[in-house]
Amino acid sequence: MSKLVLQDVELGYTRPLVGNVNLRISNQEKVGVVGINGAGKSTLIKCIIGEIEPSQGHVSTQRGLRIAHIDQHVPVALLATSFQQCVAQALPRSELDERAWEVDYILDVLNVPECIRTYALADLSAGWQRFALIARAWLGNPDIALLDEPTNFLDLEKVLVLERWMRESAGDTPMIIVS
């Protein structure tokens, strides 16, 4: 069964930025979206998460689908939170106390130093900010992951951790990866 279906999706109002997109994603599938800057890759992701509506066609998702979206930019509302708080906010508030150990576990697996965990995202490098978004996605145990330029600002060590997550921990999770 398909988790995500795009049918005849077109984006753009004066002239199509993206047109005639047809896509079905099921378990374990990884799809790469590659193109030059301004080609509409990020706009397509925003359409999938419902941030914008397609000018034509439609997007449908499996009922109750948990989507992890790693955007190119940290949402402004998260910049004042600590690295650890940012990650923990991926959990429902009602489950935070009983699942707090999962936050620590993921941060340990990702080799996030204790001192980094307490810094506000605004005070960290773009690479650490990106890594916090990746940790949030990992913690959320999504049904599908949308990664918009996931390696931007990451050093080689963090890219390797991301690759390991994609291969091992999220191996069955379908993904759309923009590059």
Side-chain angles (χ1 to χ4, degrees), residues 60-92:
S60 57
T61 59
Q62 186 178 45
R63 181 177 293 182
L65 189 73
R66 290 181 316 248
I67 298 175
H69 174 225
I70 300 174
D71 197 0
Q72 287 189 45
H73 308 286
V74 176
V76 174
L78 292 176
L79 289 173
T81 65
S82 72
F83 191 104
Q84 188 154 5
Q85 290 168 333
C86 170
V87 175
Q89 286 179 5
L91 295 173

Side-chain angles (χ1 to χ4, degrees), residues 28-58:
Q28 300 176 337
E29 293 181 314
K30 311 289 190 260
V31 175
V33 179
V34 181
I36 61 171
N37 289 343
K41 304 176 302 291
S42 297
T43 304
L44 182 62
I45 295 294
K46 288 177 181 178
C47 180
I48 292 169
I49 63 171
E51 210 171 281
I52 62 172
E53 291 290 323
S55 49
Q56 182 177 304
H58 67 277

Side-chain angles (χ1 to χ4, degrees), residues 75-152:
V76 174
L78 292 176
L79 289 173
T81 65
S82 72
F83 191 104
Q84 188 154 5
Q85 290 168 333
C86 170
V87 175
Q89 286 179 5
L91 295 173
R93 284 183 189 240
S94 61
E95 298 176 18
L96 189 54
D97 288 338
E98 67 190 50
R99 294 182 60 195
W101 67 270
E102 291 180 56
V103 176
D104 293 328
Y105 172 77
I106 286 174
L107 298 182
D108 288 344
V109 168
L110 295 176
N111 296 322
V112 177
E114 289 291 331
C115 63
I116 295 293
R117 298 176 190 196
T118 61
Y119 281 107
L121 288 185
D123 297 331
L124 294 172
S125 70
W128 280 115
Q129 291 175 1
R130 171 64 58 139
F131 217 49
L133 297 180
I134 292 167
R136 281 173 64 94
W138 190 343
L139 180 63
N141 194 22
D143 297 313
I144 189 168
L146 310 176
L147 293 81
D148 196 353
E149 305 275 358
T151 59
N152 280 2

